[in-house]
Amino acid sequence: MTTMASFWRENHLCTLTTLRPDGTPHVVPVGVTYDPEEGVARIIANKTSRKVAHVLAAAADARVAVCQVDRRRWATLEGRAVVRTGQDAIADAVSRYAVRYGRTPAPNPDRILIEITVDRTLGNS
């Protein structure tokens, strides 16, 4: 049996669930990296995406969840999300993405970082 931390290092497509202003869920596929020692999950995104808009609209109370599934194994990370625009933080997130997914994303001047401080983990990994 793998550990939750090792499961989050495997190459799996994930989903991000954010909440729209009316409280309904918005679920989209994303790539996620997770550092269990820091308790932080990272998602690189385009600054004009709906997921980013939802996090920004929620301000300090942006509760989100990221999930991945591999047959019977699954894991969910829940926490508070913030948008980071600092180039060092974005470059770090891109580097982590490249390690996990085996490819470096194409340059994107509109790239930002959604950073999730994880406060709950669930799963069967």
Side-chain angles (χ1 to χ4, degrees):
M1 178 183 258
T2 62
T3 65
M4 176 93 58
S6 65
F7 186 44
W8 280 101
R9 286 190 297 272
E10 296 174 12
N11 185 332
H12 296 290
L13 185 61
C14 303
T15 60
L16 169 67
T17 302
T18 58
L19 297 178
R20 296 180 182 101
D22 68 2
T24 59
H26 176 254
V27 183
V28 294
V30 293
V32 177
T33 62
Y34 176 48
D35 184 331
E37 292 175 4
E38 289 183 29
V40 173
R42 294 170 177 87
I43 299 165
I44 54 176
N46 193 298
K47 69 182 179 181
T48 61
S49 69
R50 294 304 315 153
K51 60 186 163 279
V52 170
H54 295 154
V55 171
L56 291 172
D61 197 32
R63 294 287 306 171
V64 302
V66 290
C67 182
Q68 67 180 12
V69 176
D70 179 40
R71 300 177 187 225
R72 294 177 53 101
R73 297 184 306 152
W74 63 274
T76 299
L77 307 173
E78 297 178 6
R80 297 203 184 281
V82 295
V83 172
R84 304 267 187 232
T85 58
Q87 291 306 303
D88 289 344
I90 294 169
D92 177 61
V94 168
S95 176
R96 291 170 187 266
Y97 179 100
V99 169
R100 180 171 189 198
Y101 291 102
R103 69 173 192 83
T104 301
N108 178 355
D110 292 331
R111 180 171 289 134
I112 58 84
L113 167 63
I114 297 174
E115 186 178 270
I116 304 161
T117 301
V118 176
D119 57 28
R120 180 182 293 168
T121 60
L122 306 155
N124 177 24
S125 58

